[in-house]
Amino acid sequence: MGKTLTEKIIESHLVEGTLERGSDISITIDQTLTQDATGTMAYLQFEAIGIPRVKTELSVSYVDHNTLQTDFKNPDDHRYLQSIAAKYGLYFSRPGNGICHQLHLERFARPGKTLLGSDSHTPTGGGVGMIAIGAGGLDVATSMAGEEFRLKMPKIVNVFLTGKLPDFVSAKDVILEILRRIGVKGAVNKVLEYTGPGIKTLSGPERGTITNMGTETGATTSIFPSDEITKEFLIAQERGDQWVELLPDEDAVYDETININLSELEPLIAEPHSPGNVKTVKELEGLTVDQVCIGSCTNSSLRDLKIAANMLKGKTIALNTVLTVSPGSRQVVGHMIESGEMGYLVQAGARILENACGPCIGMGLAPKSDAVSLRTFNRNFLGRSGTKSANAYLVSPEVAAMAAIEGKITDPRKFGTLPKFDMPKKFNINDNLIVPPLPPEEAKNVEVIRGPNIKPLPEFNPLPDKLEGEVLLKVENDVTTDHIMPAGAEILPLRSNIPEISKYVFNVIDETFHNRSLEKGGGFIVGGENYGQGSSREHAAIAPKYLGLKAVIVKSFARIHLANLINFGIVPLTFANKNDYDAIEQGDKFEIDLTTLESGTVVLKNITKGSKINLTHSLSETEIKIVKAGGKLPFIKQMYSK
Ligand code: MIC
Ligand code: SF4
């Protein structure tokens, strides 16, 4: 029986387990990446493990999230990260170089390799045929220390593409179409593997757009084969020697299939406040647009900026609309300047921002009250833009540029003829902002620099046999990590300081959460389906843990957040019977006996209601030990001390 590409790469990295779907497996990790907002924690944890140098083939530390620098905190973090990279053998991408995923695709992503990144959009690397997975910082830290990465063997979905995208329809519309069909939990514990004749019409970066935003379906990762298009891209990046052909077998067997005829797609848009609320642009035509933002790791490649620039050439943005552009990398900026196309954006009135995450994570350029903001980004969760009353919509660069010109949502096909532009056969390569690892003898003498913003990791104790407390909060389906641990200009700089950042836990839905948790000595969260979708930020686990959160009881979990809860010793439990969710109220007193955890089920006593509820979990034997030890770090320390 033939194999899928996913199976081939996983099999070549398999340490434990089999390809049987849903079983527990572990794989070796060739490359890691971190960004600054998750990186400081990841490296504090790496330091705590006590290994002198990273054991991966390649590890890169990027700075792209926290570049606003309203005070000493962000630059403190940057310094810390730079000194860590020098000490432990990592590449360091200096602030100003660009967004981690765009940069990694340009300079480091390699067909056939595995990449683990402490950012949920790490699957961007799947655009060149690698298995690239997002994870919490601690999992990345242990991978850097040479440990294998544990996951459930995912199901593999064949996304079979035929046809060719029409003018003014682009890669973003492909992933929006998939989100329209399967929603934000449609691919949990699945890999989206792209095949079919249509893939030949998509360039490396366009494939990256699709695999990047595959994250929003809950997928473990997404992958394209490594073919002649990949070869062309790697040659253009002067990395032709790293190309290998990697295709699924012709008789590969997939668990599911999604058929998409690219020729039939039309411009799409995701409405507030979920990437899964997809409509056609036509349906929303005429809605006044206050802000347009082009950029983010989804749509900031040279191709994306070129199409927008050429549509805006010789025009002025509408009086009622603000346009921001945050390019993905210096390579992109360099080409745009050289070709003169950056001038088209500037002359049209675009506000050119730094090559960084910027408005995507609420780091500046918050929209006005009640604004309609059209963004080429991948997430439009409530409050993420920095303005709680704003309505963010997700679109392609074509739809964004058209809205900037017209001041209202307009089908870009009304623009007329698609402007022509050339893509370079060879990109300008300048890696002078990527500091390579120091040789071990020199690295030894490097001193790690810790500013006052870097606070030590809190320590957590083993769990007792019985958990007691009350329901601190009951939430609905699809609660995101942006609800649990918001980001933005005020909160993001606190990522290296758990006591401080914990003050903002659940702030968007309940400002009393922090104080109540402390008053009650911690307790429980009850939630619906897909709890913890979105970001890989482990702060959504560490900070609630710091406030005393003992267990989370939900209908289902999102993959990365589930792993983060385990890593920090918060027991993740699911209802055996989902209807039991209904009878629970905030404030109910619970008792959970953990001595039966190994059997796969535990009983929850709702003391307030006088009822008993059966709970289950998906924890492996090792994960049970990790949770009971109070988290992965105490668990590893226990292991090493033995
Ligand atoms: C995001 O897009 O939400 C982030 C910010 O990049 C996160 C990581 C983080 O919270 O630091 C992600 O996607 O994992
Ligand atoms: Fe940065 Fe936004 Fe991409 Fe997250 S989704 S890595 S915040 S650009």
Side-chain angles (χ1 to χ4, degrees):
M1 201 169 72
K3 292 213 169 75
T4 65
L5 177 56
T6 307
E7 287 173 309
K8 288 184 188 183
I9 304 179
I10 289 184
E11 196 164 49
S12 65
H13 290 80
L14 202 61
V15 182
E16 275 169 40
T18 65
L19 298 179
E20 191 195 326
R21 310 303 192 245
S23 63
D24 293 304
I25 62 169
S26 69
I27 55 172
T28 52
I29 296 299
D30 303 320
Q31 303 188 345
T32 64
L33 74 76
T34 56
Q35 38 87 342
D36 51 321
T38 55
T40 52
M41 266 305 133
Y43 296 111
L44 284 169
Q45 289 153 354
F46 180 78
E47 285 186 283
I49 299 171
I51 304 274
R53 198 174 172 88
V54 294
K55 293 193 173 165
T56 43
E57 288 174 15
L58 172 116
S59 286
V60 194
S61 171
Y62 295 94
V63 178
D64 54 4
H65 281 63
N66 260 317
T67 55
L68 211 50
Q69 298 183 214
T70 48
D71 64 14
F72 62 91
K73 296 189 197 72
N74 300 166
D76 271 13
D77 286 357
H78 303 171
R79 267 290 156 212
Y80 168 72
L81 293 170
Q82 186 162 358
S83 65
I84 284 280
K87 187 162 188 68
Y88 293 106
L90 290 97
Y91 286 85
F92 180 68
S93 168
R94 296 171 64 183
N97 201 30
I99 306 176
C100 58
H101 307 302
Q102 172 69 23
L103 287 168
H104 206 83
L105 192 72
E106 287 174 4
R107 307 305 306 139
F108 296 114
R110 250 179 115 145
K113 298 286 181 186
T114 54
L115 164 68
L116 197 71
S118 64
D119 191 283
S120 65
H121 293 105
T122 303
T124 313
V128 297
M130 75 189 307
I131 290 285
I133 303 179
L138 183 48
D139 284 327
V140 176
T142 53
S143 296
M144 289 189 289
E147 294 276 317
E148 62 264 37
F149 174 63
R150 291 173 193 285
L151 73 161
K152 296 246 180 271
M153 177 63 204
K155 284 190 176 163
I156 303 162
V157 182
N158 181 5
V159 186
F160 190 80
L161 304 183
T162 53
K164 185 176 180 306
L165 289 169
D167 288 353
F168 298 103
V169 181
S170 62
K172 181 63 152 279
D173 299 304
V174 178
I175 189 62
L176 285 173
E177 169 65 12
I178 294 176
L179 277 156
R180 191 183 68 77
R181 295 200 202 172
I182 68 174
V184 292
K185 38 187 174 287
V188 176
N189 291 326
K190 295 177 189 173
V191 173
L192 300 177
E193 184 172 314
Y194 290 81
T195 71
I199 60 173
K200 297 279 179 252
T201 65
L202 299 165
S203 69
E206 289 172 299
R207 293 173 176 189
T209 293
I210 296 171
T211 57
N212 170 288
M213 203 172 164
T215 298
E216 271 52 64
T217 64
T220 303
T221 189
S222 303
I223 189 168
F224 275 81
S226 172
D227 56 7
E228 61 273 28
I229 308 281
T230 321
K231 187 177 181 183
E232 205 176 288
F233 175 68
L234 290 177
I235 290 175
Q237 291 288 351
E238 282 180 15
R239 299 200 289 127
D241 56 325
Q242 298 181 1
W243 180 73
V244 282
E245 183 172 61
L246 287 172
L247 310 171
D249 290 332
E250 282 196 8
D251 56 345
V253 180
Y254 290 88
D255 299 296
E256 290 166 30
T257 303
I258 297 176
N259 287 302
I260 296 181
N261 182 349
L262 299 174
S263 313
E264 286 171 1
L265 292 186
E266 62 174 299
L268 296 173
I269 183 165
E271 290 191 295
H273 297 285
S274 168
N277 292 344
V278 180
K279 295 266 162 58
T280 62
V281 169
K282 246 190 317 200
E283 283 173 273
L284 298 183
E285 262 196 314
L287 184 66
T288 303
V289 175
D290 305 292
Q291 185 189 51
V292 175
C293 303
I294 297 177
S296 96
C297 55
T298 318
N299 276 125
S300 59
S301 71
L302 186 56
R303 182 255 163 223
D304 291 336
L305 262 63
K306 274 183 181 258
I307 181 78
N310 286 287
M311 284 177 71
L312 283 152
K313 184 180 178 183
K315 306 201 165 61
T316 302
I317 55 167
L319 196 56
N320 59 301
T321 305
V322 176
L323 170 65
T324 75
V325 177
S326 30
S329 68
R330 282 188 317 139
Q331 187 182 76
V332 171
V333 176
H335 279 286
M336 291 294 289
I337 292 174
E338 209 177 271
S339 64
E341 286 159 310
M342 191 63 105
Y344 306 166
L345 291 170
V346 173
Q347 296 309 333
R351 296 167 68 176
I352 310 292
L353 307 178
E354 199 180 352
N355 332 323
C357 298
C360 175
I361 191 63
M363 294 303 275
L365 261 300
K368 73 175 183 70
S369 304
D370 308 316
V372 168
S373 177
L374 251 59
R375 320 183 131 213
T376 66
F377 309 164
N378 47 36
R379 289 185 175 150
N380 56 350
F381 302 143
L382 181 69
R384 184 175 163 101
S385 65
T387 304
K388 204 170 157 185
S389 69
N391 286 308
Y393 295 74
L394 306 173
V395 297
S396 69
E398 290 83 344
V399 175
M402 192 66 178
I405 297 166
E406 299 294 332
K408 53 186 198 264
I409 296 181
T410 310
D411 192 322
R413 291 172 296 185
K414 293 191 177 152
F415 183 86
T417 322
L418 187 75
K420 284 210 171 56
F421 57 87
D422 295 320
M423 284 297 288
K425 283 266 168 295
K426 285 225 184 297
F427 291 101
N428 297 336
I429 310 298
N430 178 1
D431 288 336
N432 66 348
L433 284 193
I434 300 181
V435 189
L438 281 180
E441 326 69 77
E442 271 178 64
K444 267 203 316 255
N445 305 322
V446 172
E447 210 183 305
V448 173
I449 305 169
R450 272 169 248 273
N453 189 44
I454 319 261
K455 293 282 179 277
L457 289 175
E459 295 207 12
F460 301 124
N461 298 321
L463 299 190
D465 282 341
K466 202 197 277 162
L467 302 179
E468 290 170 285
E470 63 179 67
V471 178
L472 296 167
L473 196 66
K474 184 180 174 189
V475 290
E476 310 275 310
N477 291 346
D478 297 320
V479 160
T480 74
T481 49
D482 277 272
H483 293 107
I484 307 171
M485 186 73 261
E490 193 188 346
I491 310 174
L492 211 56
L494 303 172
R495 285 287 181 92
S496 314
N497 186 339
I498 299 300
E500 266 312 301
I501 206 170
S502 71
K503 294 182 181 155
Y504 298 89
V505 172
F506 278 118
N507 212 255
V508 232
I509 24 190
D510 180 356
E511 285 178 7
T512 69
F513 185 84
H514 169 266
N515 289 347
R516 277 196 300 112
S517 301
L518 290 182
E519 272 160 32
K520 310 271 179 194
F524 304 97
I525 304 273
V526 172
E529 303 279 5
N530 201 24
Y531 180 83
Q533 73 157 312
S535 158
S536 69
R537 61 188 73 147
E538 56 191 351
H539 299 75
I542 313 175
K545 172 81 178 181
Y546 180 79
L547 299 179
L549 182 63
K550 298 170 187 175
V552 177
I553 302 135
V554 297
K555 294 184 187 170
S556 67
F557 287 102
R559 178 187 63 89
I560 310 181
H561 187 61
L562 171 62
N564 284 334
L565 291 174
I566 299 168
N567 282 350
F568 292 96
I570 300 171
V571 192
L573 298 164
T574 43
F575 292 102
N577 175 355
K578 289 181 183 179
N579 295 334
D580 286 334
Y581 166 91
D582 300 333
I584 297 172
E585 281 172 281
Q586 189 167 311
D588 282 0
K589 289 218 166 27
F590 280 3
E591 244 179 58
I592 303 174
D593 177 5
L594 292 184
T595 53
T596 63
L597 209 54
E598 283 79 2
S599 74
T601 54
V602 295
V603 177
L604 179 154
K605 277 197 209 150
N606 187 336
I607 310 286
T608 313
K609 300 268 158 37
S611 59
K612 280 190 181 170
I613 295 173
N614 289 327
L615 303 176
T616 61
H617 64 75
S618 63
L619 301 170
S620 67
E621 252 173 66
T622 316
E623 287 170 338
I624 292 177
K625 288 187 190 138
I626 293 175
V627 170
K628 286 192 162 178
K632 193 166 172 180
L633 218 46
F635 173 76
I636 292 178
K637 283 192 189 156
Q638 254 175 30
M639 236 170 51
Y640 283 149
S641 69
K642 275 179 201 153

